[in-house]
């Protein structure tokens, strides 16, 4: 075990930043209804602002999605420093078991630097096909290159996976284990997890889960050119190389996705660069301001989040803040995910609590649902032929629990309220993931319909909403149907 070294804290004005800029940023996030889960601002190595939107918590990990790629790039930096490889090595040489004539012909020109800079020459993200096999590397090498490597940018999570596989080839350790002693331990990053492929190789391009402060430490390490607590952890030369532009990715001067791409890092406007994961997982490094901005989120409009960083936080770092009257960052104590706002009680609650609803045939095989209302909670129960799952939904509060979702046990926090006498809405936040689901339960007579929507679109790495639309009718033989075990006899 080792100590999780916390970053130093102080007031914004003590590090030359205005509290008013932070308050304005938070106000704009609320006004635009952007779903942030946490944020942290570092200036001169000090945390000057931090916040978590309830029910998300400081000590909980959060899935980083493609922000994981920047950690994979860091592992390559260590491997280069240790002489295990170079960025100009031919990729296929690390996979002698796949070095058939066909693979060699297809991949001869592909180098490690092309994997790093997302310029492999593919015309599609290879990861979608790779995930359909138990041998991801083999599938990657089978997909033809349509362009000369190094000439065309195409975002490709499959390339990041191959980088992870190369690290494992040259070090004899998984990428996760390789980074443990070199990065995670020195920075005091603990309780992390990282998804792997069927062969046990770390996914590389996605799947890392760590805390908000851990992301901030990673950004601060890069800002400090690889130095940490007076020691050189990562070569400054690698950081310089990894964060400069290696390939053009667009020409829209207003887009932070068109400022060039480095080695698994995006270039930003205003001289900044970032690690970036779907739905608003950001680690933005601002060298000119000696600052780091971190967010976790469940937000589709990622550009809107960055726009508010540039509009409010950036100017707050460019003033003589120490001469400005200090303003309390009051909004940091009031952050909460927007959920259903309505009444806590419905006249139908008591009668609904006595019913079991048998539901129509659906994709998940759910057979029955029920609701038990008390003064401050709703217990929502799902029954299929194998199991019974229960969600405790707080009314006027958040209640924690767990659910099996897509075969995985997921931590959730739920609350809800009545928006009218017959419609109850539940918000279920998957507190270690970017996802949250809104369940609208409409009660009419002896029937109920439960419809579900998710906060962000479905991607190859996220499943559809928790539930399909369920339509059910109350049964008169509730006790007989349930039996002692909660399942039909």
């Amino acid at each position: 075990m080792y100590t999780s070294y916390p970053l130093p804290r102080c007031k914004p004005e003590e590090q030359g930043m205005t509290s008013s800029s932070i308050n304005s940023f938070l106000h704009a996030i609320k006004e635009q209804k952007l779903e942030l889960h946490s944020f942290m601002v570092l200036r001169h190595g000090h945390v000057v602002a931090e916040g978590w939107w309830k029910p998300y918590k400081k000590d909980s990990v959060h899935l980083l999605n493609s922000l994981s790629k920047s950690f994979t790039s860091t592992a390559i930096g260590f491997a280069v420093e240790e002489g295990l490889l170079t960025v100009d090595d031919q990729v296929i040489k690390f996979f002698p078991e796949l070095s058939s004539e066909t693979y060699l012909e297809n991949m001869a020109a592909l180098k490690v630097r092309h994997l790093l800079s997302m310029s492999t020459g593919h015309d599609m993200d290879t990861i979608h096909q790779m995930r359909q096999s138990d041998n991801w590397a083999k599938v990657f090498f089978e997909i033809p290159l349509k362009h000369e490597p190094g000439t065309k940018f195409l975002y490709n999570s499959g390339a990041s996976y191959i980088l992870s596989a190369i690290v494992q080839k040259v070090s004899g350790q998984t990428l996760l284990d390789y980074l443990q002693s070199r990065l995670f331990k020195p920075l005091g990053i603990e309780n992390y997890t990282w998804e792997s492929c069927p062969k046990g190789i770390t996914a590389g391009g996605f799947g890392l889960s760590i805390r908000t402060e851990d992301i901030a430490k990673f950004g601060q390490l890069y800002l400090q050119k690889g130095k940490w607590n007076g020691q050189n952890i990562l070569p400054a030369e690698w950081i310089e190389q990894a964060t400069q532009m290696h390939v053009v990715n667009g020409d829209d001067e207003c887009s932070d996705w068109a400022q060039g791409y480095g080695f698994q890092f995006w270039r930003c406007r205003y001289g900044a660069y970032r690690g970036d994961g779907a739905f608003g997982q950001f680690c933005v490094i601002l060298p000119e301001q000696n600052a780091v901005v971190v967010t976790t989120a469940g937000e589709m409009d990622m550009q809107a989040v960055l726009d508010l960083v540039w509009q409010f936080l950036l100017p707050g770092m460019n003033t003589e803040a120490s001469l400005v009257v200090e303003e309390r960052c009051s909004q940091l104590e009031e952050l909460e995910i927007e959920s259903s706002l309505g009444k806590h009680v419905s006249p139908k609650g008591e009668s609904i609590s006595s019913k079991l609803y048998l539901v129509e045939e659906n994709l998940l095989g759910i057979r029955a649902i029920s609701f038990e209302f008390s003064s401050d909670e709703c217990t929502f129960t799902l029954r299929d032929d194998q199991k019974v799952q229960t969600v405790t939904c707080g009314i006027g509060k958040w209640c924690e629990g767990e659910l099996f979702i897509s075969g995985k046990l997921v931590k959730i926090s739920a609350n809800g309220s009545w928006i009218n006498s017959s419609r109850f809405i539940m918000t279920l936040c998957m507190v270690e993931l970017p996802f949250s689901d809104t369940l609208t339960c409409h009660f009419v007579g002896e029937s109920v319909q439960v419809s579900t929507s998710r906060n962000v679109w479905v991607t190859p790495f996220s499943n559809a909403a928790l539930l399909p639309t369920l339509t059910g009718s109350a049964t008169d033989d509730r006790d007989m149907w349930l039996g002692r075990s909660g399942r039909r006899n």
Side-chain angles (χ1 to χ4, degrees):
M1 295 296 293
Y2 48 90
T3 303
S4 180
Y5 312 110
L7 293 164
R9 265 78 173 166
C10 69
K11 296 176 181 178
E13 282 74 15
E14 294 177 19
Q15 298 300 326
M17 185 172 183
T18 62
S19 295
S20 60
S21 66
I22 297 164
N23 284 331
S24 296
F25 172 78
L26 294 173
H27 179 73
I29 291 291
K30 184 176 182 179
E31 285 293 301
Q32 296 188 26
K33 297 184 177 180
L34 301 176
E35 188 181 319
L36 260 61
H37 298 163
S38 72
F39 95 117
M40 186 174 284
V41 181
L42 277 65
R43 189 95 202 277
H44 306 314
H46 292 72
V47 177
V48 297
E50 58 187 319
W52 286 260
W53 278 254
K54 296 177 184 176
Y56 298 88
K57 296 181 179 180
K58 177 178 182 178
D59 293 330
S60 295
V61 299
H62 198 286
L63 182 68
L64 302 191
N65 289 335
S66 286
L67 176 49
S68 308
K69 292 178 170 67
S70 298
F71 288 79
T72 298
S73 171
T74 302
I76 294 293
F78 285 123
V80 168
E81 172 67 11
E82 294 167 15
L84 300 178
L85 57 85
T86 76
V87 297
D88 289 314
D89 283 341
Q90 186 184 31
V91 171
I92 193 66
K93 84 168 194 176
F94 298 104
F95 301 88
E97 73 279 12
L98 299 177
S99 296
S100 69
E101 185 174 339
T102 301
Y103 293 149
L104 286 170
E105 182 179 352
N106 186 36
M107 292 286 167
L110 186 66
K111 297 179 179 180
V112 172
R113 67 167 58 251
H114 302 137
L115 299 174
L116 288 162
S117 61
M118 297 295 186
S119 59
T120 60
H122 290 101
D123 62 357
M124 56 177 283
D125 189 341
T126 57
I127 196 65
H128 312 312
Q129 289 182 235
M130 292 163 64
R131 284 167 66 94
Q132 298 175 33
S133 167
D134 62 358
N135 191 333
W136 293 10
K138 181 175 182 293
V139 174
F140 178 88
F141 289 123
E142 288 173 345
I143 299 173
L145 303 186
K146 299 295 186 179
H147 310 277
E148 181 182 350
T151 62
K152 183 177 175 62
F153 173 83
L154 185 126
Y155 200 67
N156 187 349
S157 292
S160 306
Y161 169 80
I162 296 299
L163 290 170
S164 172
I166 289 173
V167 169
Q168 186 162 330
K169 290 274 189 177
V170 299
S171 72
Q173 296 178 287
T174 66
L175 178 76
L176 184 61
D177 290 340
Y178 184 73
L179 286 176
Q180 194 276 335
S181 61
R182 294 164 175 82
L183 180 69
F184 296 143
K185 185 174 182 178
L187 270 58
I189 297 176
E190 302 173 305
N191 302 321
Y192 47 82
T193 61
W194 204 330
E195 184 180 339
S196 59
C197 77
K199 290 185 174 295
I201 299 169
T202 305
F206 52 91
L208 176 61
S209 293
I210 56 177
R211 301 177 308 139
T212 304
E213 185 163 348
D214 298 331
I215 305 170
K217 290 177 180 179
F218 178 73
Q220 187 65 29
L221 175 70
Y222 268 74
L223 183 63
Q224 294 172 175
K225 301 296 184 183
K227 291 185 178 181
W228 194 261
N229 288 338
Q231 296 184 337
N232 291 318
I233 302 297
L234 184 65
E237 294 79 6
W238 175 259
I239 291 177
E240 181 68 26
Q241 187 177 15
T243 61
Q244 65 181 256
M245 183 175 71
H246 289 276
V247 62
V248 174
N249 59 356
D251 57 5
D252 183 351
E253 63 182 17
C254 295
S255 171
D256 285 293
W257 280 263
Q259 306 304 310
Y261 195 78
F263 284 170
Q264 312 280 286
F265 283 89
W266 295 83
R267 294 294 307 177
C268 304
R269 292 173 290 169
Y270 305 101
Y273 62 90
R274 72 187 186 278
D276 177 317
F279 314 131
Q281 323 317 312
F282 287 133
C283 180
V284 183
I285 295 97
L286 301 97
E288 295 175 14
Q289 288 74 31
N290 197 23
V292 176
V293 177
V294 170
T295 67
T296 62
E299 178 56 51
M300 284 301 303
D301 193 351
M302 295 167 63
Q303 183 63 68
V305 177
L306 290 177
D307 285 345
L308 296 183
V309 171
W310 311 138
Q311 183 179 353
F312 295 109
L313 298 181
L314 183 60
M317 302 173 189
N318 291 333
T319 60
E320 292 294 334
S322 59
L323 302 179
V324 178
V325 176
E326 183 179 317
E327 178 183 341
R328 183 165 169 260
C329 296
S330 57
Q331 295 183 61
L332 292 172
E333 302 166 7
E334 303 167 357
L335 302 177
E336 185 167 6
I337 291 293
E338 183 172 313
S339 56
S340 53
L341 299 175
K343 300 178 180 179
H344 290 180
V345 179
S346 166
K348 292 188 176 183
E350 185 174 348
S351 63
I352 290 168
S353 295
S354 66
K355 292 180 172 65
L356 179 85
Y357 297 91
L358 304 183
V359 302
E360 297 176 358
E361 184 176 349
N362 56 85
L363 293 174
L364 294 184
I366 295 168
R367 300 282 301 280
I369 57 178
S370 63
F371 305 81
E372 300 285 344
F373 287 96
S374 67
S375 61
D376 62 352
E377 291 181 359
C378 170
T379 302
F380 176 49
T381 302
L382 304 159
R383 299 170 172 85
D384 60 26
D385 287 331
Q386 281 75 45
K387 62 184 178 300
V388 176
Q389 293 208 78
T390 299
V391 176
T392 301
C393 176
I395 301 177
K397 64 180 183 179
W398 291 95
C399 287
E400 298 178 350
E402 294 180 327
L403 272 179
F404 274 100
I405 300 176
S406 301
K408 295 181 180 179
L409 189 62
V410 175
K411 293 182 179 180
I412 65 165
S413 192
N415 79 359
S417 64
W418 293 92
I419 59 172
N420 57 42
S421 61
S422 61
R423 204 178 297 261
F424 184 72
I425 292 186
M426 293 183 278
T427 300
L428 274 62
C429 294
M430 304 173 206
V431 292
E432 294 182 347
L433 302 171
F435 312 121
S436 62
D437 287 339
T438 300
L439 279 60
T440 302
C441 311
H442 190 193
F443 301 92
V444 179
E446 295 296 295
S447 300
V448 64
Q449 184 179 74
V450 180
S451 58
T452 312
S453 61
R454 178 151 287 179
N455 59 335
V456 292
W457 295 346
V458 178
T459 75
F461 311 119
S462 68
N463 298 296
L466 170 67
L467 297 175
T469 297
L470 300 177
T471 302
S473 300
T475 177
D476 293 329
D477 59 349
R478 183 176 191 270
D479 293 336
M480 183 178 68
W481 201 94
L482 286 175
R484 291 186 175 182
S485 65
R487 291 173 54 187
R488 189 174 185 178
N489 294 329

